[in-house]
């Protein structure tokens, strides 16, 4: 059974930090992009950060330099370290896996065509 479970969402002040965790089980994702997308009320899904099968890390422009994605435990745990959080970062954050697809980079693929995803964890940033 494929399972992705997120945790770590919280309410924080502007400028604060959070680390999201995703535990992954039940499938071999070795050929997939792994990462995170987010969705705020009334907005489209937005890919945030991705790890490609070769280990390369990619970020959306909106979070580059503030967010860091990492993996551990033989790729069964995925993290998103978020610093200098802003109100625009408020969203439900989802752990996801997506197949590489022509015409889409890794971050885009996670946001537009995730094959698997978790239930999400809420991040709220207030001023």
């Amino acid at each position: 059974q494929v399972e992705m479970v997120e945790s770590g969402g919280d309410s924080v002040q502007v400028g604060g930090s959070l680390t999201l965790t995703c535990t992954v089980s039940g499938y071999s994702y070795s050929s997939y992009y792994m990462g995170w997308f987010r969705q705020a009320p009334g907005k489209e899904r937005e890919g945030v950060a991705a790890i490609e099968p070769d280990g390369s890390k990619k970020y959306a422009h909106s979070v580059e330099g503030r967010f860091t994605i990492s993996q551990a435990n033989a790729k069964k745990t995925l993290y998103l370290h978020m610093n200098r959080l802003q109100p625009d970062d408020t969203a439900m954050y989802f752990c996801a896996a997506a197949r590489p697809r022509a015409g889409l980079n890794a971050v885009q693929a996670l946001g537009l065509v995730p094959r698997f995803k978790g239930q999400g964890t809420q991040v709220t940033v207030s001023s």
Side-chain angles (χ1 to χ4, degrees), residues 40-56:
K43 293 188 176 181
E44 298 288 325
R45 273 198 311 247
E46 177 190 19
V48 174
I51 298 180
E52 298 181 345
D54 68 357
S56 301

Side-chain angles (χ1 to χ4, degrees), residues 8-92:
D10 205 346
S11 295
V12 296
Q13 298 285 318
V14 167
S17 299
L18 278 176
T19 293
L20 306 182
T21 302
C22 173
T23 57
V24 179
S25 62
Y27 197 82
S28 175
Y29 298 98
S30 59
S31 62
Y32 281 66
Y33 301 137
M34 300 292 295
W36 299 84
F37 70 84
R38 65 187 181 187
Q39 188 162 26
K43 293 188 176 181
E44 298 288 325
R45 273 198 311 247
E46 177 190 19
V48 174
I51 298 180
E52 298 181 345
D54 68 357
S56 301
K57 299 175 182 179
K58 309 293 183 184
Y59 299 93
H61 291 309
S62 58
V63 307
E64 198 154 18
R66 299 188 298 123
F67 290 12
T68 302
I69 188 171
S70 62
Q71 282 179 320
N73 301 325
K75 299 185 179 182
K76 294 187 181 299
T77 306
L78 197 65
Y79 299 102
L80 185 66
H81 309 278
M82 306 185 293
N83 296 314
R84 304 200 308 275
L85 284 161
Q86 299 298 315
D88 283 349
D89 296 317
T90 295
M92 186 73 80

